[in-house]
Amino acid sequence: KAGVTQTPRYLIKTRGQQVTLSCSPISGHRSVSWYQQTPGQGLQFLFEYFSETQRNKGNFPGRFSGRQFSNSRSEMNVSTLELGDSALYLCASSISGTRTYEQYFGPGTRLTVT
Amino acid sequence: AQRVTQPEKLLSVFKGAPVELKCNYSYSGSPELFWYVQYSRQRLQLLLRHISRESIKGFTADLNKGETSFHLKKPFAQEEDSAMYYCALRGGATNKLIFGTGTLLAVQP
């Protein structure tokens, strides 16, 4: 089974621009979660989507948004980029939202904002 | 507030020595606790979860609700155990994970 894939793997953007990151979950997985990883704040939860609905959201400004498509692929968008948005963005997929299923992480997208 | 605390940023031990990575949590309810590991140039992966009560790669972790701890232990460290270890908590019927700041385990030969 192919693992979670994220595209692109690396991205350089300028302050004020917007960016869209993509995550393809493992086949059959319906839950996709996004995390931001930085040296200062560590791993922080952004949001979770399940069956095209946002089920949970972390404490991030409205500039961070996401969506999930009917094939469970997910995208996250960051508008009006700030230098502090430079981070590794990870997505994780799971079969469902129940407690018994493991979450599998992708390799991440490294976003650099200059 | 929901929080996971890993007090050590770096833990350096010699090969064959016992290892204990500390994790304390704060959560009002019955959380699920996990240990994730990230080896160099690899993706984050699940190592252990408390509901499984299993030993993976010689590592064990016991949930102590009285002390709100979930420390990771291994009796004899191997060089291949060198990695970043994250303790994480999940509460409620979602997949939201709250991570600790991580502990870098360095096993010296």
Side-chain angles (χ1 to χ4, degrees), chain B residues 51-102:
Chain B
I51 58 173
S52 300
R53 293 184 150 272
E54 56 193 347
S55 173
I56 303 292
K57 299 183 179 182
F59 285 98
T60 59
D62 290 317
L63 180 61
N64 186 322
K65 292 184 178 180
E67 296 182 359
T68 59
S69 68
F70 188 57
H71 303 326
L72 183 68
K73 299 178 184 179
K74 185 170 182 176
F76 308 103
Q78 303 297 317
E79 288 181 67
E80 54 266 31
D81 296 330
S82 295
M84 194 73 174
Y85 291 80
Y86 294 95
C87 182
L89 172 158
R90 186 170 85 175
T94 75
N95 281 316
K96 175 182 177 180
L97 290 171
I98 297 168
F99 284 91
T101 49

Side-chain angles (χ1 to χ4, degrees), chain B residues 29-43:
Chain B
S30 295
E32 283 187 85
L33 273 296
F34 305 84
W35 277 98
Y36 280 82
V37 61
Q38 191 166 31
Y39 300 101
S40 179
R41 296 193 182 90
Q42 294 188 27
R43 59 185 70 188

Side-chain angles (χ1 to χ4, degrees), chain A residues 36-91:
Chain A
Q36 182 195 65
Q37 186 176 25
T38 60
Q41 300 296 320
L43 280 151
Q44 292 188 288
F45 174 79
L46 280 156
F47 27 65
E48 180 202 358
Y49 286 88
F50 180 71
S51 292
E52 302 180 65
T53 301
Q54 187 181 86
R55 185 157 65 176
N56 211 334
K57 191 176 190 305
N59 294 326
F60 279 83
R63 300 185 297 106
F64 291 81
S65 63
R67 60 178 175 169
Q68 187 179 33
F69 301 95
S70 58
N71 61 358
S72 294
R73 189 178 70 85
S74 177
E75 289 182 346
M76 67 163 281
N77 184 277
V78 187
S79 63
T80 320
L81 284 165
E82 299 178 0
L83 296 178
D85 297 333
S86 294
L88 181 67
Y89 290 88
L90 298 175
C91 80

